[in-house]
Amino acid sequence: MKREEILEFIRIVFKGDDELLRVAEEFENAENLDVNSELKEAIEENFEYGIGSVILGYGLNKEIFEYVDWKGEMDTEVTNCLTKYEMSEGLDIFSNSLLDEIDEYEYEEDIVKKIEYANKKILDTGYGIFSYPTESDFFALFVGKLSDKEKLLINIFGDSEDSEVEYII
């Protein structure tokens, strides 16, 4: 994984979070950096697994990533991901009827079908739902601009196909 790709990913998804950028730039010394409590917790819990795991932990702590069990959602996690993004960005992208339609979509086995459905429904908005690799049995979903898709679809852990950020469609 090229460090510049990770830094660009952070600039886009974490809106240039200066502390996370500094951690990524000085990762070998990350445990000694003076950072906010949420990032410090992510470093303490994930440092030994690398920067990709620290980004995952921090994204979950900051609610930039929406935790969704791979078998399915409790109720509305996919639309929660969309509405949280809207609120954090101060935007009004997704209509209530579109969100209701996504919520009402029924799927059989796993949540992937609903994510695919949601991405097809929101395609015209210029945004998409992406999945950050977790190396576990859950999804860490986030919303991004489709114009940034190539910069978001990186192999964050660098060791396997399972460690790539995905756009599920």
Side-chain angles (χ1 to χ4, degrees):
M1 168 84 307
K2 295 179 181 176
R3 184 164 74 181
E4 192 52 45
E5 289 177 330
I6 292 173
L7 295 175
E8 186 65 17
F9 181 88
I10 293 168
R11 287 183 194 102
I12 295 168
V13 176
F14 290 83
K15 309 301 180 238
D17 185 308
D18 290 336
E19 290 184 326
L20 182 56
L21 284 167
R22 191 164 41 111
V23 166
E25 289 171 340
E26 304 175 37
F27 189 70
E28 302 76 31
N29 189 39
E31 293 175 302
N32 300 317
L33 296 175
D34 183 26
V35 295
N36 68 62
S37 61
E38 292 162 319
L39 185 50
K40 181 62 102 177
E41 180 183 335
I43 293 168
E44 289 170 358
E45 293 176 358
N46 299 291
F47 181 79
E48 67 184 292
Y49 306 111
I51 186 62
S53 293
V54 170
I55 292 169
L56 173 61
Y58 188 54
L60 290 169
N61 288 349
K62 296 280 291 180
E63 296 186 0
I64 290 169
F65 298 148
E66 183 77 21
Y67 174 95
V68 180
D69 186 275
W70 72 274
K71 289 183 181 177
E73 55 183 351
M74 297 288 290
D75 192 18
T76 59
E77 286 93 336
V78 172
T79 53
N80 284 350
C81 182
L82 296 170
T83 56
K84 282 181 184 178
Y85 181 82
E86 280 185 318
M87 289 189 308
S88 72
E89 297 297 309
L91 300 171
D92 187 17
I93 306 165
F94 314 110
S95 70
N96 288 336
S97 62
L98 176 64
L99 294 171
D100 289 343
E101 194 174 332
I102 293 168
D103 269 344
E104 292 168 6
Y105 179 79
E106 297 291 329
Y107 56 94
E108 293 288 322
E109 303 247 341
D110 62 48
I111 193 71
V112 172
K113 294 293 182 202
K114 187 162 189 175
I115 297 167
E116 288 173 352
Y117 178 78
N119 271 332
K120 288 174 185 169
K121 297 304 284 184
I122 67 173
L123 188 62
D124 291 341
T125 68
Y127 292 85
I129 301 169
F130 294 82
S131 178
Y132 188 88
T134 65
E135 297 186 332
S136 190
D137 63 350
F138 69 94
F139 289 94
L141 302 179
F142 67 95
V143 176
K145 292 180 181 177
L146 293 177
S147 60
D148 291 328
K149 185 169 102 174
E150 294 306 314
K151 295 175 186 171
L152 298 175
L153 297 178
I154 63 173
N155 188 319
I156 203 77
F157 294 104
D159 56 0
S160 74
E161 191 175 293
D162 291 339
S163 61
E164 295 176 350
V165 175
E166 294 181 85
Y167 173 60
I168 302 168
I169 194 156

